[in-house]
Amino acid sequence: MLSLPALAAPSYLGGRRPERPWRPGDIRLTPLWRRLRRRHGLTLDWRGCLTPPDKASGQPALAEYLNRLRDGVYNELSSGRPLFVLGGDHANAMAVWDAAMAAVGERRFGLLWIDAHLDCHTFLTTPSGNVHGMPLAALLGLADPPLAALMPGRCRLRPEALCLFGVRSYERAEQEAMARLKVRVIQAARVRRDGIDGALDGALDHLERHCEHYGISIDLDAIHPRQAPAVATPVVGGLNGPALCQALCRRVDPDRCRILEIAEFYPSLDRAGRTQRLLADLVGAWWWSRGSRRRGWA
């Protein structure tokens, strides 16, 4: 049985849907731990569980939380080991990927963002006010002052070192921002047309031309809602979860991809552990990609 370093980030401060924070060992997460052990030969070595204070809410609480999360991720990556981060809503990505860029180097790092949404709003453009719809705007340096105040660091993701995958729900302001920066966006319709293997090959070929190392951020709403129901913003027409696992296991380069984030996990919405079993398979696919055991940063 192998042990995978992991951080728990059960914060839902970036959205409006309430969710009781979970902790490692929470009985609600039994299907996840069981699937990891039995199917993938993995246990999670929890390096920390960063829960928000009780009854925390609002932007000041979120800013404080993101600073804590950023420090936790940075400290783990600085040790040279791979890392799995399990969230919470996708606002956490502002901390996770700022820390990764700080640990690896902005010019060396890229990001595969697997999501139903573009997540590139600011407070000026958002129709919902949900910060979990804004992390890429912050990471790309497009933040307005209220969003910039939430950013826990100063790293900026290069547009050419970002690829979005499986997108199918967005507003015009986000689409225009991505087009202006010439960010590579592979929509869900193209994945269906080209097949998930061919589409993922194109995404990772693009990243590998522009960076030495990359991370993967998976918002579970990228997956079809029947396969991953435990999300706050389900969108019809999602990716096929098992096919995505197979594609990741076949294609991800274990020497270049050392950090995985999975976000938008709401245990109270899971039905019969369906989302958790898929979540475990995504982690296993990443860890065992190309049959390799992972090493530290080069």
Side-chain angles (χ1 to χ4, degrees):
M1 191 77 66
L2 292 178
S3 184
L4 166 60
L7 271 178
S11 165
Y12 301 89
L13 295 172
R16 298 182 180 181
R17 183 182 181 89
E19 179 74 19
R20 179 163 60 90
W22 45 268
R23 294 177 181 273
D26 192 319
I27 193 170
R28 293 179 295 167
L29 274 60
T30 298
L32 171 60
W33 321 137
R34 183 181 293 131
R35 181 80 156 208
L36 279 170
R37 289 194 305 269
R38 295 181 178 177
R39 174 166 288 196
H40 304 289
L42 291 172
T43 62
L44 297 180
D45 174 18
W46 292 106
R47 311 301 296 170
C49 177
L50 303 177
T51 56
D54 289 343
K55 299 182 180 179
S57 64
Q59 294 177 32
L62 177 57
E64 188 275 335
Y65 181 84
L66 292 176
N67 273 285
R68 289 171 52 211
L69 179 57
R70 193 259 186 203
D71 290 345
V73 173
Y74 180 82
N75 290 337
E76 289 302 315
L77 291 179
S78 296
S79 72
R81 302 191 304 172
L83 183 66
F84 165 52
V85 182
L86 178 59
D89 69 53
H90 222 171
N92 289 347
M94 291 188 280
V96 172
W97 301 110
D98 182 271
M101 287 185 281
V104 180
E106 289 176 80
R107 305 301 301 178
R108 302 175 65 200
F109 194 76
L111 180 58
L112 176 63
W113 187 274
I114 303 176
D115 199 327
H117 306 91
L118 288 177
D119 284 357
C120 198
H121 275 299
T122 68
F123 283 100
L124 291 174
T125 66
T126 175
S128 69
N130 290 327
V131 181
H132 64 64
M134 306 182 192
L136 282 179
L139 290 166
L140 289 165
L142 302 177
D144 53 3
L147 181 56
L150 296 176
M151 274 295 288
R154 298 183 177 181
C155 292
R156 293 294 177 264
L157 184 62
R158 295 174 296 130
E160 65 272 20
L162 170 65
C163 183
L164 288 92
F165 190 87
V167 172
R168 58 193 188 278
S169 177
Y170 48 85
E171 281 75 43
R172 176 178 290 184
E174 297 177 288
Q175 184 180 29
E176 290 175 348
M178 290 295 183
R180 189 164 59 248
L181 293 176
K182 299 181 180 178
V183 172
R184 182 75 176 271
V185 178
I186 299 176
Q187 298 203 23
R190 181 175 173 184
V191 175
R192 289 192 292 272
R193 185 192 71 199
D194 296 348
I196 200 164
D197 287 306
L200 188 65
D201 284 345
L204 292 180
D205 286 347
H206 172 82
L207 286 181
E208 290 169 354
R209 286 195 299 269
H210 291 95
C211 58
E212 295 178 49
H213 299 286
Y214 59 90
I216 300 176
S217 183
I218 302 177
D219 186 316
L220 287 169
D221 66 25
I223 312 299
H224 196 288
R226 284 198 299 269
Q227 297 172 339
V231 300
T233 53
V235 183
V236 297
L239 302 175
N240 180 283
L244 177 61
C245 292
Q246 292 175 12
L248 291 169
C249 192
R250 177 189 62 83
R251 182 59 180 82
V252 170
D253 186 339
D255 292 321
R256 300 179 78 167
C257 182
R258 311 290 173 77
I259 176 169
L260 170 69
E261 175 197 27
I262 296 183
E264 293 288 342
F265 173 50
Y266 287 73
S268 67
L269 300 177
D270 207 5
R271 293 196 287 272
R274 192 179 306 166
T275 308
Q276 295 182 53
R277 288 190 291 273
L278 176 61
L279 197 162
D281 291 345
L282 289 166
V283 174
W286 168 73
W287 180 260
W288 294 114
S289 57
R290 299 190 185 178
S292 291
R293 297 186 179 183
R294 299 180 174 277
R295 298 181 290 277
W297 295 105

